[in-house]
Amino acid sequence: MKILMNKKGQVRTLEALLAVAVVFAALLLTRPIYVSYDNLGDYDVLYTMGLNVLVQLDRDGDLGRLISERNWAEIADRLSIMLPLGVSFNLTVYDEESNILNDRPVSGGAINSKCVVSIQYILVDRSNLRFYVIRLQLAWMK
Amino acid sequence: MPVTSLDTLLASSIMICLVLASMASVFAAIQPFLKHQVSHHEVEANLSLAEYLLIEAGMSASWGSNINESLVIFGLANQNSPVPFELNIDKVTRLNEKNIYNLSFLEAFNSLNMKDKPFRIIIKPLFNIAVNLASREENDSAITYRFNILAERSNFPVKAALKCYAVIKDYVVSCSSQTSSLGEGLIEFSLPKSLSGTALLIVFAETEPKMLSYTVHRFSHNSINPPSSEGRYALLSPLNYTLRADLNSSNRILHAMIFTYNYVFNLTETEGDSAIQYFIIPKILDESIMILVGTGLNASSSECFAEWVSYPQIPLDFGLGFTSKYQLADSFSFRFLVTINSAIYECEVILWRS
């Protein structure tokens, strides 16, 4: 009966439980910071890869010509062979007034990764001197 | 000991354990984040270095085509190239160890002036082609061959247009076909029975403009002997639009030809002696790799032989081999698309993590 009535021990056990809660709360708070910085290296690599692919695609004015012809299937085919396997993509083409030109998705794979990179590329079609803004989104496939 | 003291001792012990455990956990959770700050900059620095190798022309800028010019600073790009990632055909060719003018890794490493940064460069076509003999039919004057062609990229099928050439001595026959969506194709051609010996089947596959791959298959035609091994009669080394043939026997190259996706031409012999022959390579404006073929006749067996080399000499693997598990884990690998002579190739730059 004496042991049960001793409140001091119970309070200290309560303190210990509170300490556990504080420590785990601290751990939970640090986790999101760690995750958000986790893939910075991947961002750099994906960005460089995307820019490199767009530069190659635009060589000799091919990309501008394909956009003028609205040949979205050809652009998607070229991107899928140029990008490494395991990288999904989605390409959007805008005109001077920021209207989307591609009436169908120019994509390969699903962009549902945590690490998605968006590359903006500006080009002028040499045949008709039209100006386009291209946005290429890349992500590692899960 | 009173019960209160026991409780206090127990609670204190639990709290000390918790504090120690939390310190260890927080350290473990934060450590990758802190380390990542360093590694992020490390990735950026290595990526910039990899780009530098492919964007800069080096010094002297014409170290690729002129073997007498010493290499001071390493760089593979074309001099004054208007677009990035356009590599010089001769600089790339000199990275291939099979070329007689090849650059040693030590020369390249020293010219980079980064003593803690060994590297490796792999350049290859965007996809692969495999060739297999499907059937062989013989009649009075000719033998008809059927070959299965498989185009794939990391075991995934590739749909491509095929252009094939079969060569024996000075006889050339061409055919076209395509691979299906399963990456499979079939080609058929006939070679005359008046010729015998080693023949070559050159296969070009093109998926999109500028994106092509090739393979060369060596086979025995109208002969019981197996096809001659590569380099048995001559070692071919292209550089600066000149083909050098170092002869390994008294048999000379009688016919030299150049093959691209769209064109075939004969090469003109310029000079030479009993051991070396030189041929001029024309500058062909075709978005294709060039396959250079030298054929001749074995004087003792009266059978034809054939040697070949690609220009640029691709695929190639230059530099240190990061083969062990430990080395693979401690290196950075970056993939680029590069253009050499209007055709696109895949280039992987692997840098040692110092």
Side-chain angles (χ1 to χ4, degrees):
Chain A
M1 194 65 188
K2 247 183 182 180
I3 296 169
L4 287 172
M5 292 302 287
N6 192 336
K7 301 273 172 65
K8 283 182 182 173
Q10 287 175 10
V11 168
R12 288 203 172 98
T13 310
L14 203 66
E15 282 173 355
L17 289 171
L18 274 170
V20 170
V22 167
V23 167
F24 278 99
L27 282 174
L28 285 172
L29 284 172
T30 54
R31 183 71 188 160
I33 301 168
Y34 163 64
V35 169
S36 66
Y37 283 91
D38 193 20
N39 296 318
L40 272 176
D42 286 349
Y43 278 102
D44 290 335
V45 171
L46 268 184
Y47 187 88
T48 308
M49 190 188 289
L51 198 59
N52 175 242
V53 164
L54 286 172
V55 166
Q56 294 293 344
L57 199 57
D58 190 28
R59 196 172 285 269
D60 302 328
D62 278 5
L63 186 55
R65 181 180 53 77
L66 290 170
I67 291 171
S68 296
E69 292 168 3
R70 303 292 191 263
N71 197 344
W72 312 119
E74 177 75 12
I75 294 173
D77 284 350
R78 289 197 189 188
L79 279 172
S80 59
I81 193 95
M82 290 171 110
L83 285 165
L85 294 168
V87 174
S88 48
F89 67 91
N90 180 38
L91 185 124
T92 315
V93 182
Y94 300 89
D95 63 9
E96 298 98 326
E97 289 156 1
S98 298
N99 300 312
I100 295 177
L101 292 182
N102 48 311
D103 49 2
R104 68 179 78 166
V106 182
S107 60
I111 304 227
N112 55 3
S113 166
K114 277 181 186 171
C115 176
V116 180
V117 172
S118 184
I119 302 133
Q120 194 149 302
Y121 188 83
I122 296 166
L123 78 87
V124 176
D125 181 12
R126 297 170 203 180
S127 57
N128 54 22
L129 296 178
R130 281 203 179 134
F131 167 84
Y132 301 109
V133 178
I134 292 156
R135 197 183 65 191
L136 176 65
Q137 291 175 300
L138 296 179
W140 296 111
M141 280 183 197
K142 281 183 178 175
Chain B
M1 191 181 281
V3 177
T4 319
S5 307
L6 272 175
D7 280 348
T8 311
L9 183 67
L10 185 66
S12 309
S13 307
I14 290 171
M15 288 187 76
I16 289 166
C17 288
L18 277 169
V19 166
L20 288 175
S22 66
M23 281 169 71
S25 308
V26 169
F27 179 76
I30 296 293
Q31 176 66 10
F33 166 66
L34 296 173
K35 203 175 171 184
H36 192 80
Q37 293 296 306
V38 181
S39 71
H40 170 54
H41 297 304
E42 212 178 344
V43 171
E44 268 189 352
N46 282 281
L47 185 56
S48 301
L49 179 60
E51 283 180 330
Y52 172 87
L53 295 176
L54 306 177
I55 287 173
E56 292 296 320
M59 193 189 289
S60 65
S62 58
W63 66 264
S65 55
N66 193 343
I67 53 165
N68 297 319
E69 286 188 7
S70 58
L71 175 64
V72 182
I73 299 172
F74 187 76
L76 291 173
N78 248 341
Q79 192 181 7
N80 303 324
S81 173
V83 278
F85 301 104
E86 188 173 309
L87 305 190
N88 182 274
I89 188 169
D90 291 316
K91 289 173 186 170
V92 169
T93 296
R94 284 190 70 187
L95 299 186
N96 196 311
E97 61 182 1
K98 289 179 186 170
N99 192 293
I100 202 140
Y101 305 108
N102 70 73
L103 186 78
S104 74
F105 176 68
L106 196 62
E107 281 178 87
F109 179 64
N110 287 334
S111 64
L112 195 62
N113 290 322
M114 294 184 78
K115 300 297 177 197
D116 60 342
K117 202 49 83 178
F119 61 94
R120 183 178 177 191
I121 297 172
I122 299 166
I123 304 178
K124 57 186 179 183
L126 287 169
F127 57 96
N128 299 318
I129 308 169
V131 172
N132 277 309
L133 180 65
S135 69
R136 180 180 177 276
E137 279 175 29
E138 198 170 335
N139 61 29
D140 291 342
S141 60
I143 300 173
T144 302
Y145 297 92
R146 285 183 193 87
F147 281 90
N148 286 323
I149 313 285
L150 181 67
E152 59 178 18
R153 184 177 176 228
S154 304
N155 295 325
F156 282 87
V158 172
K159 194 176 177 184
L162 301 173
K163 187 71 184 279
C164 308
Y165 301 93
V167 191
I168 182 163
K169 206 181 167 195
D170 57 342
Y171 184 85
V172 178
V173 60
S174 69
C175 57
S176 300
S177 183
Q178 61 182 24
T179 59
S180 65
S181 54
L182 297 172
E184 295 167 352
L186 183 74
I187 55 159
E188 181 182 316
F189 59 88
S190 298
L191 293 177
K193 284 177 84 175
S194 56
L195 297 168
S196 66
T198 300
L200 296 179
L201 170 63
I202 303 164
V203 181
F204 293 100
E206 188 182 57
T207 51
E208 299 288 341
K210 304 186 185 89
M211 295 176 221
L212 54 101
S213 182
Y214 81 96
T215 190
V216 179
H217 180 70
R218 200 177 269 274
F219 65 100
S220 185
H221 169 68
N222 196 25
S223 168
I224 52 165
N225 299 319
S228 60
S229 56
E230 194 179 327
R232 158 85 175 77
Y233 292 93
L235 175 70
L236 304 184
S237 302
L239 196 80
N240 197 18
Y241 288 89
T242 303
L243 175 66
R244 171 176 164 163
D246 291 77
L247 304 174
N248 294 327
S249 67
S250 57
N251 302 300
R252 293 182 71 78
I253 288 176
L254 303 174
H255 309 280
M257 289 159 271
I258 180 170
F259 296 86
T260 66
Y261 187 81
N262 291 306
Y263 304 104
V264 183
F265 291 106
N266 287 318
L267 302 183
T268 311
E269 188 169 355
T270 53
E271 52 176 316
D273 51 38
S274 59
I276 302 172
Q277 289 176 270
Y278 292 95
F279 301 89
I280 294 173
I281 303 169
K283 292 187 179 177
I284 300 173
L285 296 176
D286 197 7
E287 294 164 347
S288 162
I289 195 163
M290 294 175 263
I291 305 296
L292 309 169
V293 173
T295 61
L297 206 61
N298 185 327
S300 57
S301 66
S302 299
E303 290 207 332
C304 304
F305 69 84
E307 299 289 354
W308 70 275
V309 70
S310 64
Y311 187 46
Q313 223 165 331
I314 284 171
L316 65 87
D317 188 341
F318 177 78
L320 284 192
F322 302 97
T323 48
S324 75
K325 276 184 184 173
Y326 174 73
Q327 286 170 326
L328 277 175
D330 254 358
S331 58
F332 291 102
S333 170
F334 303 105
R335 177 198 182 265
F336 299 93
L337 293 179
V338 294
T339 302
I340 309 167
N341 242 24
S342 303
I344 296 174
Y345 302 90
E346 188 177 326
C347 175
E348 190 181 354
V349 180
I350 303 168
L351 295 164
W352 174 259
R353 186 177 198 161
S354 49

